Amino acid sequence: GEDSRYAGLRRSWSPGAQPRFFAYFQLQVIFILAFALPFLAISNGAPLSLTLWDAAGLLVGCVALAGARLADRQLAAFRADPANNGKTLATGLWRYSRHPNYFFEWLFWWAFVLIGVQESQWWMTLVPPALLFVLLRYVTGIPHAEKRALATRAEYARYQQTTSAFVPWFPRKA
């Protein structure tokens, strides 16, 4: 079925939803171009020779992929149990971050910063992690997810008080 976010936009944009969806998806094309910048910077560099920066980038990328996979698997397993309906996952990676999946997605883009740091146009590698942080933290990711969670889960406000929103960190006392 249709993603609940798109269904919500369709309802709030009605009756002019179609032109707005067109503009919305064209804006996504601009974001795709921004996220392609690290590849442009890296591919314009010197001939292929692996460095410690490349190894560090590969390590960060692997940690980010593993972390995102683990967070997604933990959430999927939690949601698959009917006893957890209406509850908040607060164990595993979710004990240290309310959105570890977003954090690891963001961390992945830092791998390209490390790989591209030696290139003359290295600054282009900073665009995706900076843009993604703003989008996830303040625009689309966390605000939307937390608004839904607060509306559907009674204990979510307490979880917000004790658990970091983005960067995994030790839980605080309520």
Side-chain angles (χ1 to χ4, degrees), residues 103-124:
F103 171 78
F104 286 110
E105 181 180 341
W106 172 77
L107 181 65
F108 179 77
W109 287 96
W110 283 97
F112 297 104
V113 174
L114 293 171
I115 292 168
V117 76
Q118 303 167 96
E119 307 301 337
S120 62
Q121 296 175 325
W122 68 271
W123 58 270
M124 288 196 290

Side-chain angles (χ1 to χ4, degrees), residues 18-120:
Q18 287 307 105
R20 286 184 173 185
F21 271 115
F22 179 78
Y24 177 78
F25 289 119
Q26 296 312 304
L27 181 62
Q28 288 184 357
V29 171
I30 294 169
F31 287 133
I32 290 168
L33 293 173
F35 281 87
L37 289 175
F39 304 103
L40 178 64
I42 292 167
S43 67
N44 281 337
L48 182 63
S49 60
L50 297 177
T51 67
L52 288 177
W53 287 109
D54 297 324
L58 181 62
L59 178 64
V60 167
C62 287
V63 166
L65 289 173
R69 172 116 169 106
L70 179 59
D72 287 343
R73 289 185 72 164
Q74 289 173 346
L75 184 59
F78 182 80
R79 286 182 173 168
D81 184 351
N84 293 328
N85 192 25
K87 295 182 180 176
T88 299
L89 173 57
T91 60
L93 293 175
W94 300 84
R95 180 173 186 246
Y96 302 98
S97 171
R98 297 193 309 264
H99 304 280
N101 49 349
Y102 292 160
F103 171 78
F104 286 110
E105 181 180 341
W106 172 77
L107 181 65
F108 179 77
W109 287 96
W110 283 97
F112 297 104
V113 174
L114 293 171
I115 292 168
V117 76
Q118 303 167 96
E119 307 301 337
S120 62

